Amino acid sequence: MPPDAPAHLSEEQIISLVAYLAGGAGGDLAVGIGDDCAVLGGDQTGLVVTTDLLVQGSHFDLELMSPADVGHRSMAANLSDLAAMGARPAYGFLSLGMPARPTAAFVSELVGSMVAQGRAHGLKLAGGDTVKAPQVVINLCLLGAMGNLAPVLRSGGRLGDAVCVTGLLGGSGAGLAWLQAGRDPAEAAAAEAVAAHCRPTPRVAAGRALAESGRVHAMMDLSDGLAADLPRLARASGLGAAVEAEAVPISPAALAVAPALGGDALGWALGGGEDFELLFTCDPGEVPLLAQVVAEAAEGLTVTQVGRLTQGPGVTLIKQGEEEPITYKGFDHFQEPAP
Ligand SMILES: Nc1ncnc2c1ncn2[C@@H]1O[C@H](COP(=O)(O)OP(=O)(O)OP(=O)(O)O)[C@@H](O)[C@H]1O
Ligand SMILES: Cc1ncc(C[n+]2csc(CCOP(=O)(O)O)c2C)c(N)n1
Ligand SMILES: [Mg+2]
């Protein structure tokens, strides 16, 4: 253990410790721990690999959503990491843990929805593992193919780059808050937010089109929220970033439920997580062209410039002209609750 390790670790500190123990990329591993996917080299050149573990109570609550929703979300979360590299989904491996006495209806709903979401993006389920577990746990490992394209990494950002996001942010966090407040998911005002949370759309075609354009410098997907994910992209690029609060494309779905829940729509947009939109950087002059590329690839999906890459250090939020360090927090599994 490193001598300066704190007693209790955050999610990010755990990953740093694992990366320290595992050692970095090299040899036939082109990109190891630290990006959305590992990038294989040597005989496996052109393949990227991602894996995500989803656990009842941490990532989904089967009291609040259907097994089909859980299956869809699990596959979407993983496909989103392939999208972030510009990869084409290829093969999936599903490891499933379930309590005793699982029913055919439950497995059909969960896995059927997962397979349908994968197939819609060209992915074939090719294997996995099944065990009894105290609660439902789902691990997907996906392989993506780059073809003749180089994967778009988090580390390619350049000073002065425009920082852009696809789509709208905050809908998923708002939908989760609605469900966790015990509100009726069928209520019209919340339908869009609940759908954003239960049935997110991974931006596979947009990610591929952005990679194909050759004009994107760095890219990742937004799983923990802009407030957590942009610092990762900026740090990987050796830079900082500034975000204009007024430019953040807050989802109308989040704005619609905020008053009823006493919630903060900007907070969901920056820190709610699980929107699974793409975050990318490019020359500021290329934003309109890339917006067109994305709109054509993904049925009118929008691109919004939310800020720029700076010398740093760190990420600042510009609110009504005032620049301050970003205080919104993204999602961390091991975050201690506020005292
Ligand atoms: N237990 C672990 N062992 C090895 N590598 C890990 C472990 N946990 C995370 N990583 C690696 O650390 C990096 C960041 O992981 P993380 O799960 O935060 O990925 P992400 O893409 O930021 O999030 P998401 O998977 O939600 O999109 C990835 O390269 C991932 O493969
Ligand atoms: C029951 C329940 N509680 C909390 C959340 C919120 N949540 C869980 S994981 C995550 C970020 C991405 O995860 P990871 O970093 O593991 O990929 C977020 C925002 C949820 N969806 N369901
Ligand atoms: Mg990711």
Side-chain angles (χ1 to χ4, degrees):
M1 195 169 79
D4 54 349
H8 299 286
L9 307 181
S10 67
E11 183 182 341
E12 201 144 297
Q13 288 167 328
I14 296 167
I15 295 174
S16 299
L17 177 53
V18 173
Y20 164 85
L21 295 169
D28 282 353
L29 182 61
V31 177
I33 295 174
D35 217 304
D36 296 290
C37 295
V39 180
L40 308 188
D43 291 347
Q44 281 77 43
T45 297
L47 281 181
V48 300
V49 185
T50 180
T51 184
D52 262 310
L53 177 64
L54 295 101
V55 177
Q56 158 69 26
S58 290
H59 295 86
F60 54 85
D61 184 343
L62 282 160
E63 303 276 310
L64 301 178
M65 62 177 68
S66 69
D69 289 337
V70 173
H72 178 107
R73 296 185 80 247
S74 307
M75 184 56 85
N78 275 269
L79 288 169
S80 179
D81 281 315
L82 294 183
M85 313 303 284
R88 284 205 196 94
Y91 301 104
F93 297 84
L94 165 65
S95 295
L96 209 46
M98 280 173 299
R101 304 165 67 88
T103 65
F106 178 81
V107 175
S108 302
E109 236 197 273
L110 179 81
V111 180
S113 167
M114 214 179 277
V115 167
Q117 171 66 187
R119 196 177 286 142
H121 293 280
L123 185 109
K124 177 80 186 161
L125 194 59
D129 193 16
T130 305
V131 300
K132 187 167 89 169
Q135 57 197 333
V136 175
V137 292
I138 298 164
N139 173 243
L140 273 164
C141 174
L142 305 191
L143 270 65
M146 291 309 307
N148 55 6
L149 292 184
V152 187
L153 307 183
R154 296 179 180 185
S155 54
R158 302 178 196 167
L159 184 63
D161 268 1
V163 172
C164 301
V165 297
T166 60
L168 304 166
L169 304 181
S172 178
L176 175 63
W178 184 267
L179 294 174
Q180 288 186 328
R183 305 288 294 253
D184 180 1
E187 218 174 288
E192 213 184 309
V194 170
H197 183 70
C198 295
R199 300 284 172 143
T201 306
R203 301 306 187 185
V204 175
R208 182 73 185 170
L210 286 168
E212 275 172 348
S213 78
R215 292 161 196 262
V216 172
H217 299 160
M219 184 153 68
M220 70 182 295
D221 71 317
L222 287 169
S223 55
D224 287 341
L226 194 63
D229 291 328
L230 178 55
R232 291 178 185 142
L233 183 147
R235 208 180 310 128
S237 299
L239 295 167
V243 174
E244 291 271 357
E246 283 84 9
V248 174
I250 302 177
S251 162
L255 294 167
V257 303
L261 294 179
D264 171 13
L266 179 64
W268 287 321
L270 294 175
E274 298 181 303
D275 286 312
F276 301 117
E277 294 294 347
L278 294 172
L279 171 69
F280 66 90
T281 82
C282 61
D283 285 339
E286 305 275 24
V287 176
L289 178 89
L290 291 175
Q292 205 179 324
V293 163
V294 166
E296 279 167 18
E299 295 170 349
L301 181 65
T302 54
V303 164
T304 309
Q305 180 177 352
V306 295
R308 63 204 157 75
L309 290 183
T310 63
Q311 201 65 257
V315 174
T316 57
L317 187 67
I318 305 169
K319 238 175 161 176
Q320 289 156 353
E322 299 285 323
E323 193 164 348
E324 52 191 66
I326 198 157
T327 50
Y328 285 96
K329 297 241 179 305
F331 187 85
D332 183 314
H333 281 287
F334 295 91
Q335 194 173 301
E336 301 282 348

